[in-house]
Amino acid sequence: MAYKHLKHFIDTLEQAGELIRIKTYVSPELEMAEITDRVSKMPGGGKALLFENTGYDFPVLINSMGSNKRMCLALGVNHLDDVAHEIEALFKLISKPKEGILDKLSMLPKLGQFASWLPKVVSGRGACQEVVMKDPDLHKLPVMTCWPKDGGPFITLPVIHTKDPNTGSRNVGMYRMQVFGKDLTGMHWHKHKVSAKHFSEYKKLHKRMPVAVILGGDPVYTYSATAPLPENVDEYMLAGFLRKRKVELVKCITQPELEVPADADFVIEGYVEPHEELIWEGPFGDHTGYYSLADWYPRFHVTAITHRKDAVYPSTIVGIPPQEDAWIGKATERIFLAPIKMTLVPEIIDMEMPVEGVFHNLVISKIQKDYAGQAQKVMNAMWGAGQMMFNKILVVADEHTDIHDYRKLAQDVFRHLNPATDIYFSQGPMDVLDHSCSKMGFGGKVCIDGTRKHEEEIDGSYYLPATPGKPDEAAIRSQFPEIKAINSSLLDQDISCILVAVEKNRINHIRELNEALYQLPALAGIKMVLYVEHTVDVSDLPSALWRFCNNLDPRRDSFVIDRPIADQPGKRLAGIGMDGTLKTRLLDNFERDWPNIIVADDATIRKVDDKWAELGIGPFVASPSLKYKHQIYGEEAVVQQ
């Protein structure tokens, strides 16, 4: 389904009962984010919010894709898997041998469909250029400041257009933009991104780089800008495929080298000078649930701002999951399953990216296993595939496992797991936002092979015991006072794993504690021990897993225990401890600043509490930040160590 403009999508959401209009004044500075955080963490993602009284000329739409239903509405499908099935059918049709003239003729209608998805540049101005600001001023837009330690207000849903200066190929991506002045922002290009490569080419040519940013329009534009497409695939071809209508583009007014969708709500035109001094950008409360810390990034100079007469400013917040981005990530998981299966890893049956893993950190793959070593083959293929190169923890299960039922998944994986032989470590490129890497953008990875093993994969010298009963937690804590809490409840569910909250106080503390714990007879048969900070509530498994995945560098922070069994000659017993605690210079020789988790400030929480009854959202919901207040270290974006 093609939406004519963002208001068309808003009307559709409202008709579906998926939108709440908020008429009470709400400030874009911190208040909107706090309200949205409470709503987005409601069961199923809450509702989309339209803040109509913003103190600016434009309303703000947020959480518009923050549920499965709204994500499907945005893409015009009944189920997200429908898109994957259509892509799979296209792949099969294209790759099918064409033996006769009738086979070839049968392709013509489909080729016509391909043509109908290609973007088209139209003459004249678009609705996105109905109003041209005489004096472009970003301060006239309701740009949100989301979290108390953010470096300032950030445009959080910018669809950014650049072109390769040598080939003219377009890239459409999404990178946050911190507003520094009426006509100046930062341009948060990570070195792995295509726009950063374009920037590098302009540097070589000593040429000014034109950039255009849109906000709004068909929500498919926003989604396509986030999609992990190959460099040579135009994002607006994906958008045309999803909306079943080509994207019509118009030339920018002050940057005519670039084209933007005619039906966008806002267009911000400008340029980046490749050899200009960089700007100190950030911190920013990011999708990991931690602040991404300040660093040097290019300056974006605004030359024009245009918009529709009835423009709506779209925004989003990211932070401790779940947030709206979790549902956008779920769409990517489902949509790009088919291309991965068809082109890279044909044995993959299904994929799952748990929200606690914040996209790249934790990926679960279900495969059709036919031979020994197939999980490792999948591991290597996936770590070499586009943005999957940023994956940190990969779990591989076989066709007998329901990977969407986390309890059954864990039972199967741990039942099949030998910690000494079925866990594989590597290192490579990592997401720049992964703070666990001692060197930015480079760190460790782990693959956990939870498939049933073929005979060739089994080392008969290891004894794999049944899941042991729960140990005496009080006795262990008495023996090791640095342990503040233990969660061994998974053992009762036949999952051979416990969580331990530790207050570290010395170098190599977790390694030595892990050695000591595995000497205890009660822990001898436990396959995995996950260590987290003493401030973390280990009884809250989703939150503890989120903290663990973010703080772990698997290669550096994993300690395998492999020892002989005294009363079974020739037999060995294995276990593994994994350190998901905060890392410091003093105790861990960690070379970078460690970021704090993101929580709202007390003053904003009180303001929203006081006006909640006026918002029309429903029964009072307390701030999600309250449960995390005791887990922060100091008040700044950087942990005070």
Side-chain angles (χ1 to χ4, degrees), residues 126-166:
C128 63
Q129 297 160 329
E130 287 175 335
V131 180
V132 180
M133 282 191 188
K134 292 182 181 179
D135 180 23
D137 187 352
L138 292 167
H139 295 145
K140 293 181 178 179
L141 306 183
V143 183
M144 292 172 55
T145 301
C146 298
W147 301 106
K149 299 306 173 184
D150 281 358
F154 282 84
I155 301 172
T156 54
L157 275 183
V159 178
I160 297 174
H161 301 65
T162 62
K163 283 188 176 179
D164 186 306
N166 301 308

Side-chain angles (χ1 to χ4, degrees), residues 401-471:
T401 300
D402 180 357
I403 65 172
H404 305 293
D405 183 327
Y406 294 161
R407 183 175 65 86
K408 291 181 179 177
L409 166 68
Q411 288 171 340
D412 284 357
V413 167
F414 278 94
R415 189 177 301 122
H416 302 149
L417 181 70
N418 180 344
T421 61
D422 300 333
I423 298 178
Y424 303 88
F425 298 100
S426 183
Q427 61 183 359
M430 300 300 294
D431 191 338
V432 170
L433 301 180
D434 188 335
H435 62 260
S436 72
C437 305
S438 195
K439 304 281 189 180
M440 181 182 285
F442 180 76
K445 304 171 183 289
V446 63
C447 174
I448 299 172
D449 179 2
T451 62
R452 298 187 185 190
K453 302 303 183 291
H454 287 244
E455 182 182 351
E456 301 92 330
E457 299 173 295
I458 297 173
D459 186 335
S461 64
Y462 286 94
Y463 171 62
L464 298 180
T467 303
K470 294 176 69 172

Side-chain angles (χ1 to χ4, degrees), residues 309-352:
K309 290 178 181 177
D310 58 353
V312 176
Y313 180 87
S315 190
T316 193
I317 65 164
V318 289
I320 294 175
Q323 300 277 17
E324 181 176 11
D325 61 314
W327 301 98
I328 296 173
K330 181 58 65 174
T332 295
E333 171 202 300
R334 305 323 301 163
I335 290 171
F336 285 87
L337 173 61
I340 290 172
K341 284 171 60 176
M342 300 297 289
T343 62
L344 292 168
V345 196
E347 52 267 86
I348 281 189
I349 300 170
D350 203 356
M351 276 176 54
E352 172 79 3

Side-chain angles (χ1 to χ4, degrees), residues 10-23:
I10 291 170
D11 292 341
T12 303
L13 292 175
E14 192 161 33
Q15 290 166 11
E18 288 291 319
L19 179 82
I20 295 174
R21 292 178 180 269
I22 297 177
K23 302 185 182 301

